[in-house]
DNA sequence: GTATGTCTAGTTATCATACAACATTGCGTG
DNA sequence: CACGCAATGTTGTATGATAACTAGACATAC
């Protein structure tokens, strides 16, 4: 079974765009030109162009034509749990995460509503009855989600969700044999730190919230990760 | 200017797929059914389906039909140029971007090598001979890429690339009728700011690099965006 | 009863033509 | 010189037709 003309044309165009045959922002060939150049019908061209548009490579306006707006499809920002097996990468991610979550806490302290505050304390309340590993993980997630929402900037929310997904997956993989210690850590250390952060957000103290969140991520857990990463030295 | 029927149909279908109206692996409606259901021609349906295919949501075979192969486009953090048509979102992204790039400049000032510095100045050198819009865009990209590399944390690099791809695409769409003013802005303002930032990084002054980068993103361009976003007030 | 071949109906893929809606450019007029 | 209008160009959509493939039903042969 042969590849369709649409997929052939789309791939050819994608390659040409990637090779910068059409400088960013300049006119992309018209439907008619492409149909003539590839020796296909306008239908095939339009379907191929539709997929290029979806890939974010071109932008089209009726009556004006298309322009190239990117040379390659947006890779996006993803973090796989596998890549975090590298100690160096984990350190880099924590450095990055620390910056994001610290600022999010500051914004949350500035922008929180009463409902936001309630939600943050609800997550803490849930955390008090932690009896199992998955409950501890879920409570930790809820707490950080609540802060992200209170920050009122969807890009913080989205990047924090992406980081959290990856770090949660890694924690699930890593603590398979030692969940009790995480639960204990959660009970004895993390909850207290969460409470302090929640108070600072409730009271509207951005600087203090930032400081406490940074300390939270730079505290005991970070030190343990650093130690673990140095032991690995696998990159 | 109204959205095209193709984009309306594609969005509707994307939503339905995300809401699992069609279980994974089962038959997706035929061209004819969709055309009848949406009250549009088969041409529109085929173009919409072409974009769903590109997004990785469906797979199609001649003679058999389509099946749903994923409920959502792959996860992770992405920014489409379209979403940045919303002034509120753009402000949020600039707030987010400012934090990231400011910190990256600081890290670059701490961690840069001589090769990094050379690369940053090379980007500036390229910027001196700017004669066209696409060259200005490319030089701006090169400058920020060089800083991201000097920061030596791949998560900063990756998120900055993601942001840059989206903001570049948006700039290309937005400046279609006023490219000269961007080139002029680049020549008269942005290059100077780039040079100051490069000097601070070369000299190893993280605080100063942060301050200058923040000012760079908070300066004239940001003010123009803020004004433009308020004018829109579309969300 | 089972295997193979043929036919029919259905589905996607492509082509061609036509018209609508928008954008740009050029020309004529005041 | 500025403005308005017509002509031209481009995308968006609809319609009809044919080609290429798939699946299932039915008939035939072993």
């Amino acid at each position: 079974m042969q590849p369709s003309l649409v997929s052939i044309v789309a791939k050819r165009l994608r390659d040409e765009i990637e090779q910068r045959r059409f400088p960013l922002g300049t006119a992309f060939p018209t439907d008619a030109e492409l149909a003539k150049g590839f020796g296909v019908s306008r239908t095939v061209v339009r379907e191929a162009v539709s997929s290029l548009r979806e890939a974010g490579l071109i932008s089209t306006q009726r009556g004006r034509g298309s322009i190239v707006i990117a040379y390659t499809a947006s890779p996006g920002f993803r973090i796989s749990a596998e890549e975090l097996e590298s100690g160096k990468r984990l350190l880099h991610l924590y450095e990055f995460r620390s910056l994001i979550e610290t600022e999010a806490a500051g914004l949350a302290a500035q922008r929180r509503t009463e409902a936001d505050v309630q939600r943050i304390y609800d997550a803490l309340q849930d955390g008090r009855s932690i009896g199992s590993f998955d409950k501890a993980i879920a409570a930790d997630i809820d707490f950080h989600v609540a802060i992200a929402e209170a920050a009122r900037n969807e890009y913080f929310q989205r990047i924090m969700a992406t980081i959290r997904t990856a770090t949660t997956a890694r924690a699930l993989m890593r603590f398979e044999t030692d969940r009790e210690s995480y639960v204990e850590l959660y009970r004895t250390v993390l909850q207290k730190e969460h409470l302090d952060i929640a108070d600072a957000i409730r009271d509207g103290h951005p600087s203090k919230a930032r400081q406490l969140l940074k300390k939270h991520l730079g505290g005991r857990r970070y030190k343990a990760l650093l130690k673990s990463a140095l032991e690995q030295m696998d990159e």
Side-chain angles (χ1 to χ4, degrees), chain A:
Chain A
M1 188 188 68
Q2 297 296 339
S4 67
L5 289 180
V6 171
S7 63
I8 290 169
V9 168
K11 181 166 193 314
R12 285 274 300 278
L13 289 174
R14 195 177 293 117
D15 288 346
E16 292 188 8
I17 289 171
E18 186 165 334
Q19 284 151 28
R20 309 194 174 190
R21 168 142 172 229
F22 314 102
L24 275 180
T26 61
F28 191 70
T30 64
D31 289 348
E33 286 165 348
L34 291 172
K36 186 171 180 183
F38 284 102
V40 298
S41 73
R42 205 171 142 226
T43 305
V44 170
V45 164
R46 292 192 59 76
E47 287 181 33
V49 166
S50 198
S51 70
L52 296 183
R53 206 155 41 226
E54 176 66 29
L57 299 181
I58 64 172
S59 169
T60 303
Q61 204 166 347
R62 175 189 271 190
R64 301 182 67 169
S66 300
I67 58 169
V68 173
I69 59 176
Y71 287 129
T72 60
S74 169
F77 179 89
R78 297 193 208 139
I79 311 168
S80 66
E82 285 73 33
E83 78 186 58
L84 298 184
E85 292 300 317
S86 152
K88 183 175 172 182
R89 274 216 182 84
L90 194 63
L91 283 178
H92 283 176
L93 181 64
Y94 265 81
E95 181 177 60
F96 180 66
R97 181 186 176 191
S98 177
L99 175 77
I100 302 289
E101 298 220 8
T102 296
E103 185 62 22
L107 292 176
Q110 281 173 267
R111 297 175 178 171
R112 84 275 181 266
T113 62
E114 291 193 6
D116 291 329
V117 172
Q118 188 58 49
R119 186 165 172 180
I120 290 171
Y121 282 105
D122 285 349
L124 285 184
Q125 193 62 31
D126 292 345
R128 286 193 215 287
S129 55
I130 296 296
S132 64
F133 180 65
D134 56 317
K135 291 282 172 53
I137 294 275
D140 188 60
I141 290 173
D142 289 346
F143 178 71
H144 287 276
V145 166
I147 291 183
E149 301 247 353
R152 306 225 162 264
N153 178 324
E154 73 177 273
Y155 294 107
F156 280 90
Q157 290 162 23
R158 282 157 59 180
I159 196 68
M160 284 166 72
T162 301
I163 294 169
R164 191 180 308 118
T165 300
T167 56
T168 300
R170 184 175 178 279
L172 289 170
M173 288 196 285
R174 190 161 189 87
F175 284 98
E176 281 188 18
T177 57
D178 195 15
R179 299 186 172 195
E180 303 299 330
S181 70
Y182 181 79
V183 174
E184 192 59 27
L185 176 72
Y186 193 84
R187 282 220 192 89
T188 57
V189 177
L190 300 185
Q191 275 196 324
K192 177 66 172 64
E193 292 178 347
H194 283 180
L195 181 61
D196 290 343
I197 292 162
D199 288 346
I201 290 172
R202 179 200 63 199
D203 296 339
H205 294 155
S207 297
K208 186 164 183 185
R210 283 193 187 95
Q211 181 189 4
L212 288 170
L213 199 310
K214 184 160 189 171
K215 185 177 169 188
H216 174 56
L217 288 181
R220 181 183 299 262
R221 183 157 45 164
Y222 183 63
K223 292 296 196 289
L225 290 170
L226 179 63
K227 185 181 173 209
S228 172
L230 291 179
E231 284 169 1
Q232 289 188 25
M233 285 306 265
D234 58 356
E235 201 169 359

